[in-house]
Amino acid sequence: MKPKKTNTATKTWEMMQCSREVLGATCMQKIFSRGQSQINRYCSSPQHEDHQRNPLDRLHLLFSKLEEEGEKELVIAALNHLCGSIGYRVQEQQEIIPDKLTVEEECLDDYPEKVELDRLITTNAAPELVRRQGEHTCREIMETVTSYEEHCKKKG
């Protein structure tokens, strides 16, 4: 086994270049059903006149357009599918901020999410749908917990 090299790629074309180095050009050609010239274009700097938008850039554009159209859940599902190949899932980076004015309202806000989770389970929905609903339910519950913590701080 060869020693692992630290990957310092930060741009998508660099990621593609590193992928080609690791997997080899032939493997990349098979994966993308593209010839050597096209793979080289994906791996070249945008400053190079032959450069073309690579699949990572195209996915970024696709996900951005979907999010603009209000399809954030579809983007999350696609990202989770991609992350699944290495055993990961996407996680929201934002701080959890309650979206209701009172703890009581936050508690009531949890209920529909939990009901939907239970409905998906009892109707034998796809495990991925159940997992995503579980994540929504957990987020709602954490909004309630945060609201309660803020309420307690105010009381002293």
Side-chain angles (χ1 to χ4, degrees), residues 73 113 131-141:
E73 287 302 312
E113 297 296 340
R131 159 112 15 227
R132 285 200 331 249
Q133 183 58 39
E135 290 166 350
H136 287 297
T137 304
C138 288
R139 172 141 181 91
E140 282 299 333
I141 290 169

Side-chain angles (χ1 to χ4, degrees), residues 14-152:
E14 294 171 328
M15 293 172 200
M16 293 296 291
Q17 196 174 66
C18 289
S19 299
R20 183 182 60 191
E21 289 171 13
V22 170
L23 299 175
T26 303
C27 182
M28 296 286 282
Q29 287 173 262
K30 288 178 183 176
I31 290 170
F32 294 108
S33 298
R34 298 288 179 260
Q36 179 69 43
S37 300
Q38 186 62 44
I39 298 300
N40 289 342
R41 287 182 195 106
Y42 290 161
C43 300
S44 67
S45 165
Q47 296 168 342
H48 191 271
E49 67 182 50
D50 245 8
H51 171 78
Q52 283 190 356
R53 184 180 289 150
N54 64 57
L56 296 172
D57 290 332
R58 291 175 191 274
L59 281 173
H60 187 272
L61 181 60
L62 172 68
F63 294 160
S64 296
K65 296 268 185 206
L66 286 169
E67 202 276 331
E68 286 172 15
E69 294 296 322
E71 293 295 335
K72 186 175 182 178
E73 287 302 312
L74 179 56
V75 174
I76 292 169
L79 288 170
N80 279 331
H81 172 75
L82 294 173
C83 293
S85 65
I86 58 167
Y88 279 68
R89 294 185 64 77
V90 297
Q91 183 176 340
E92 193 171 9
Q93 288 181 322
Q94 297 175 0
E95 178 183 343
I96 294 177
I97 299 170
D99 58 354
K100 302 295 181 247
L101 296 176
T102 66
V103 176
E104 292 77 13
E105 289 173 320
E106 281 295 345
C107 287
L108 290 173
D109 205 25
D110 298 344
Y111 186 70
E113 297 296 340
K114 174 67 170 112
V115 168
E116 178 61 11
L117 175 64
D118 292 345
R119 185 193 69 76
L120 288 170
I121 291 169
T122 59
T123 60
N124 294 314
E128 180 60 25
L129 293 176
V130 172
R131 159 112 15 227
R132 285 200 331 249
Q133 183 58 39
E135 290 166 350
H136 287 297
T137 304
C138 288
R139 172 141 181 91
E140 282 299 333
I141 290 169
M142 289 313 298
E143 285 179 14
T144 302
V145 169
T146 301
S147 178
Y148 180 72
E149 288 171 340
E150 290 171 358
H151 171 78
C152 288

